[in-house]
Amino acid sequence: MARVLDEIRSPADLKRLDTDRLKCLAGELREEIVRTVQKNGGHLGANLGAVEIILAVHSVLNSPTDKIIFDVGHQAYAHKLITGRLREFPTLRQYQGLSGFPRREESPHDAFGVGHAGTSISAALGYCLARDARGENYKVVTITGDGAMTAGMAFEALNHAGELDTDLVVILNDNAMSISKNVGALHQYLTTIRTDPAVVRARDEIERIMSRIPAIGGSMMKVAEKLAATVRHVVVPGAMFQDLGWAYYGPIDGHNIPLLQRVLREAISRGGPVLIHAITQKGRGYPPAEEDPGRLHSLKPPICDSDAPFAVTYSEVFGDALLELAKDDPSIVAITAAMPEGTGLAKFAEELPDRFIDVAIAEQHAVTLAAGLACGGQRPVVAIYSTFLQRAYDQIVHDVALQNLPVIFCLDRAGIVGDDGPTHHGVLDLSFLRTFPNMVVMAPRDGAALRDMLCTALQLARPVAIRYPRGATAAPGRNVKPRTVPLGKGEILREGNDAGILAIGSMVNTALSAAELLAARGTAVTVADARFVKPLDEELVLQLARLPGGLVTVEENAVAGGFGSAVLELLTRRHVPIERVRLLGIGDTFVEQGDTERLHRLSGLTAEDIAGAVQLLLNERPTLGSFVAH
Ligand SMILES: Cc1ncc(C[n+]2csc(CCOP(=O)(O)OP(=O)(O)O)c2C)c(N)n1
């Protein structure tokens, strides 16, 4: 049977569809999303829950003239499917395929690029102010999750917009879930609105009134006034949004398309900042995701063989090690910003709930909270993905490093993460962390080293960052006790007299493979695991730089300001010539999405690339200033 979806070339086509056809389209969109995510991996629950909101918004607005701005953006698959990207949808999250998030370069309908949470209202307000200043006349609507609403930026934007007289509609897509269950007082507040019997009665009344509003016509305003009075009577007193200067409509059923359309039209005609509180169900329409929305938040692409020999992930090693250490040290506190599962802390949360803190999507707060905890005598361990810690740059500088506080940062997903793409690769952390005075920066080459580094960090009375990649590692031996690593000491793993390879973290094993390739070609290299980016093992660096063929540094981080740059700084400080030094790492570019193996290849980070760099060094005659930081 012909699908409605196949008739939708652009959102303008939605305007021809009646409610029944829109409902049918919602079902087809869900089927398309489930089918593609099962094949390619990707975000499932949030996308399924946002289908009706997206259809309602697109059928009322005129995108791309009107601007629809997503938060986080992993709810936008239905939006992609109805904005001319149906044919390309099978390429979702693949190399050179459709992004899993809105991207401005992908479509004029993607009004703002996203991936990190909490940006929608700020970006939308920027659009509104630009529109007003330029005398333009388009509408701006955000689709903002209840999780995203816990981010500091969302509060900052609510605060700002609430005192401006600009037309902006925020649809709060409230499914009571972040990735896992949402947390915090705002979440409690929204839950009260959702479940308080008086509010539920008011909501039913609103829906009854709204269902009587004609699509067009003069009585609309009157009915709307009655609606507003009802809302004010029951919901608004003390309502946070109203107190901040926003008109508040809701809560309404976020799966009821005609109701959403009517409330949105009313919100637009009202003017000023308006928040529509829409209740949705994460995973809607796909029973496994409805039953376990946390687990089916996202799916991984089908397992690739290279993962097979490994039983554990770095996240698991970290979570298990911290739990064991915390059992012996009652001052240890684990902190996450809405990622208990992703960071491997779920077991810790279960076994030591009093020493586990989930601050919601509030990375900046997490860091300064940790600083306060450290001042109060606790040992905070902050587990945040590398890419999301970028948010908390100043908190690390000003609140932790400047006061030399013993806060431990555990940065998961450091390096190239794969199909989530440029918003999620964690390739800048070494560059920024190593510039902070007092900070120790380490990167383990495997799970056992991660445990050792965690143990080491707890011995140090200063800020420490440990960064490790996404994915699997060999399980550290159960009976092997973690050891402390001497501060600022690397480790030589293989000796050879021709040249040196100094690698850090995830690149150490690749460097060892490069040494094998070189050995087969008759070249003997020394391979060392630097372990520390800061403080650097000066002796080791000098020793390797003096090998006749020179030295190649390798890191899964930007070359600019990264580990190799630190090595160059050291060598120039010690007046060692640097013309026989090569830096391998991520170039001055945002790495695209794709499978990690391909992205490593494209970034020049394979064993063959490292071996090639060594060989080039050996073949080249040294010329002054010939080092390449690509
Ligand atoms: C700054 C930041 N921190 C953490 C994340 C990881 N993350 C992705 S989605 C998500 C939950 C978002 O919840 P919500 O906004 O309610 O959207 P939903 O998935 O429920 O639609 C989190 C924590 C992120 N994307 N950005």
Side-chain angles (χ1 to χ4, degrees):
M1 213 173 75
R3 296 188 305 176
V4 182
L5 180 55
D6 296 309
E7 297 167 23
I8 309 297
R9 304 266 177 274
S10 86
D13 295 329
L14 297 182
K15 310 229 183 246
R16 294 184 282 102
L17 303 183
D18 61 15
T19 299
D20 285 345
R21 303 252 292 159
L22 282 171
K23 278 189 192 161
C24 177
L25 176 59
E28 293 169 1
L29 287 166
R30 288 198 166 89
E31 277 170 22
E32 192 72 33
I33 290 167
V34 171
R35 189 169 43 247
T36 307
V37 171
Q38 278 173 340
K39 230 168 90 222
N40 296 17
H43 292 96
L44 192 62
N47 274 297
L48 296 175
V51 169
E52 283 84 8
I53 291 182
I54 289 167
L55 288 179
V57 170
H58 269 296
S59 60
V60 170
L61 299 192
N62 291 307
S63 174
T65 305
D66 295 332
K67 310 301 173 198
I68 301 166
I69 298 177
F70 286 86
D71 207 300
V72 185
H74 65 201
Q75 314 81 343
Y77 294 178
H79 159 83
K80 294 197 177 217
L81 284 164
I82 58 171
T83 50
R85 285 170 273 183
L86 173 62
R87 274 227 328 262
E88 293 160 278
F89 202 61
T91 68
L92 184 74
R93 292 162 58 89
Q94 294 178 342
Y95 180 63
Q96 293 188 332
L98 286 186
S99 167
F101 303 92
R103 284 186 76 163
R104 282 167 60 76
E105 58 269 48
E106 192 176 289
S107 164
H109 295 280
D110 291 2
F112 197 74
V114 234
H116 292 197
T119 61
S120 59
I121 309 176
S122 300
L125 184 57
Y127 258 118
C128 292
L129 298 185
R131 172 196 63 199
D132 299 348
R134 297 162 69 90
E136 291 172 330
N137 189 28
Y138 52 81
K139 300 170 186 68
V140 182
V141 174
T142 79
I143 298 174
T144 308
D146 57 300
M149 201 60 105
T150 63
M153 269 185 86
F155 280 84
E156 291 168 28
L158 283 174
N159 177 51
H160 185 194
E163 72 165 12
L164 300 179
D165 186 26
T166 191
D167 298 344
L168 166 61
V169 177
V170 167
I171 300 181
L172 172 55
N173 168 19
D174 180 6
N175 57 19
M177 299 281 292
S178 195
I179 288 181
S180 320
K181 277 220 168 327
N182 205 355
V183 294
L186 177 68
H187 166 67
Q188 304 292 352
Y189 174 70
L190 295 176
T191 304
T192 307
I193 295 178
R194 254 197 328 265
T195 53
D196 184 303
V199 179
V200 171
R201 268 200 308 281
R203 182 186 59 196
D204 293 345
E205 173 71 358
I206 291 163
E207 293 189 3
R208 203 177 56 75
I209 294 169
M210 285 319 245
S211 67
R212 285 209 254 120
I213 297 179
I216 43 166
S219 61
M220 188 161 163
M221 285 314 291
K222 266 205 195 116
V223 183
E225 273 162 23
K226 186 165 175 213
L227 160 77
T230 310
V231 174
R232 207 173 300 120
H233 180 66
V234 185
V235 180
V236 166
M240 189 186 92
F241 302 109
Q242 178 86 2
D243 292 346
L244 287 176
W246 288 70
Y248 170 90
Y249 287 10
I252 62 168
D253 176 359
H255 298 297
N256 181 333
I257 298 174
L259 177 66
L260 285 162
Q261 289 170 320
R262 287 195 191 99
V263 175
L264 180 56
R265 287 197 183 100
E266 163 52 18
I268 290 167
S269 68
R270 184 194 188 282
V274 182
L275 185 137
I276 298 173
H277 185 182
I279 308 301
T280 58
Q281 181 187 20
K282 193 164 176 169
R284 175 85 163 196
Y286 181 59
E290 286 181 358
E291 277 151 34
D292 196 350
R295 200 173 56 80
L296 290 189
H297 171 80
S298 60
L299 295 185
K300 291 197 180 82
I303 307 283
C304 45
D305 282 338
S306 57
D307 286 345
F310 298 113
V312 288
T313 62
Y314 278 93
S315 319
E316 285 165 341
V317 172
F318 159 70
D320 290 350
L322 188 65
L323 179 58
E324 286 315 304
L325 290 160
K327 284 177 182 165
D328 292 337
D329 179 350
S331 68
I332 291 177
V333 179
I335 302 174
T336 178
M339 312 286 287
E341 274 85 18
T343 54
L345 284 175
K347 217 191 297 175
F348 190 110
E350 217 176 279
E351 290 196 31
L352 299 175
D354 296 342
R355 288 197 274 142
F356 169 78
I357 302 174
D358 182 351
V359 295
I361 308 178
E363 288 80 6
Q364 302 98 313
H365 165 60
V367 172
T368 304
L369 174 82
L373 279 161
C375 289
Q378 298 294 77
R379 287 297 264 137
V381 177
V382 186
I384 293 181
Y385 289 7
S386 166
T387 187
F388 302 138
L389 193 67
Q390 290 163 195
R391 281 276 163 99
Y393 184 97
D394 184 56
Q395 284 75 7
I396 309 174
V397 180
H398 178 269
D399 302 328
V400 177
L402 178 59
Q403 306 191 84
N404 199 19
L405 293 171
V407 174
I408 300 171
F409 297 96
C410 291
L411 282 66
D412 204 316
R413 303 328 192 248
I416 289 170
V417 296
D419 30 31
D420 275 335
T423 53
H424 282 60
H425 298 310
V427 294
L428 303 174
D429 57 83
L430 294 182
S431 305
F432 66 82
L433 289 169
R434 80 176 186 85
T435 64
F436 305 154
N438 295 327
M439 184 69 98
V440 171
V441 184
M442 304 184 236
R445 66 172 181 267
D446 57 24
L450 170 55
R451 282 196 328 179
D452 293 348
M453 287 180 179
L454 193 55
C455 193
T456 308
L458 285 161
Q459 309 298 316
L460 300 171
R462 56 195 283 193
V464 179
I466 308 170
R467 59 105 74 174
Y468 41 92
R470 174 185 185 185
T473 175
R478 279 236 157 255
N479 302 324
V480 185
K481 279 246 161 263
R483 310 166 295 143
T484 21
V485 184
L487 181 65
K489 281 285 155 217
E491 187 180 9
I492 290 181
L493 302 175
R494 175 180 179 127
E495 294 197 75
N497 291 330
D498 293 331
I501 305 174
L502 183 57
I504 185 81
S506 55
M507 284 293 111
V508 173
N509 285 319
T510 318
L512 285 169
S513 307
E516 287 295 324
L517 294 175
L518 286 162
R521 296 167 199 166
T523 300
V525 290
T526 294
V527 177
D529 174 358
R531 297 200 292 210
F532 291 82
V533 173
K534 188 180 183 178
L536 269 182
D537 186 338
E538 296 208 9
E539 216 177 297
L540 179 67
V541 172
L542 295 174
Q543 182 188 339
L544 266 69
R546 287 185 181 127
L547 286 167
L551 166 64
V552 172
T553 68
V554 201
E555 64 198 294
E556 202 174 344
N557 187 84
V559 167
F563 165 66
S565 295
V567 168
L568 283 184
E569 286 165 20
L570 164 64
L571 292 174
T572 48
R573 200 167 56 240
R574 300 292 296 262
H575 307 292
V576 176
I578 55 170
E579 62 267 28
R580 299 189 70 71
V581 181
R582 296 287 181 275
L583 314 186
L584 299 187
I586 310 289
D588 186 16
T589 183
F590 287 107
V591 178
E592 283 306 324
Q593 67 188 28
D595 59 287
T596 40
E597 214 179 296
R598 181 199 299 262
L599 297 181
H600 280 140
R601 219 165 47 238
L602 292 170
S603 304
L605 287 175
T606 64
E608 192 55 68
D609 293 314
I610 300 171
V614 170
Q615 262 171 339
L616 263 178
L617 266 180
L618 289 166
N619 297 342
E620 269 173 19
R621 271 164 41 90
T623 50
L624 257 184
S626 69
F627 77 85
V628 180
H630 74 139

